Amino acid sequence: MTSKSPMSKFHATTISYCPPMIVSAQQQEQIFEDFVQAFYVEGSVNKTAIHFDVAYIQHNADVLSGRQAFIDAFSAVGGGNTTTTIVHMALKDNIAWVHYKSVTPGSPLTAIVDVFRFNGSCIMEHWDAIEALPANAKNPLALF
């Protein structure tokens, strides 16, 4: 007997997760995991667009709000030689976060935490905290 994922029907019938749709906590977790896979692991900006509301609110000072602004900003940056390693991630009560290590040759090791607010199936808002490892860091456990 073949077991189907609880999201298989949802994926098969959904072109976009936005506008927001009512989903179970388990479905929302799967949507978040799909987003993390597409954006952080695969580096696919195009695959992530379906996760963002058109009126997505962005709190990063260098990126404008809106789905298209997200696509434009991250398509222009590209992955380059940056390596991303996810350290922690979680989702609870419509708030999801990803803590990850970003390594770019010639730049200091950087810790980033992205926080997302969901409305059902759709990412509505984003905040981030970014810290580069100082050259003279005293703590061997700094950032991670």
Side-chain angles (χ1 to χ4, degrees), residues 5-119:
S5 159
M7 289 302 294
S8 61
K9 180 179 179 214
F10 190 74
H11 283 293
T13 60
T14 303
I15 295 171
S16 177
Y17 298 114
C18 302
M21 293 170 275
I22 297 171
V23 294
S24 70
Q26 185 178 19
Q27 288 172 319
Q28 189 178 61
E29 186 173 328
Q30 184 62 56
I31 291 166
F32 175 55
E33 289 174 6
D34 290 349
F35 164 73
V36 169
Q37 176 67 30
F39 186 66
Y40 296 95
V41 177
E42 297 172 20
S44 176
V45 175
N46 290 334
K47 282 185 180 180
T48 62
I50 64 170
H51 292 86
F52 291 97
D53 189 69
V54 173
Y56 160 75
I57 301 166
Q58 172 63 265
H59 295 282
N60 181 305
D62 294 322
V63 182
L64 294 173
S65 289
R67 179 193 299 159
Q68 191 59 51
F70 170 86
I71 293 167
D72 294 346
F74 287 95
S75 293
V77 172
N81 291 327
T82 299
T83 302
T84 299
T85 304
I86 297 170
V87 180
H88 304 99
M89 61 185 255
L91 172 114
K92 185 175 181 180
D93 298 330
N94 294 314
I95 301 296
W97 58 272
V98 181
H99 172 218
Y100 59 101
K101 183 186 302 188
S102 180
V103 179
T104 304
S107 297
L109 174 67
T110 303
I112 302 172
V113 177
D114 285 323
V115 180
F116 301 94
R117 180 179 61 84
F118 275 79
N119 179 359

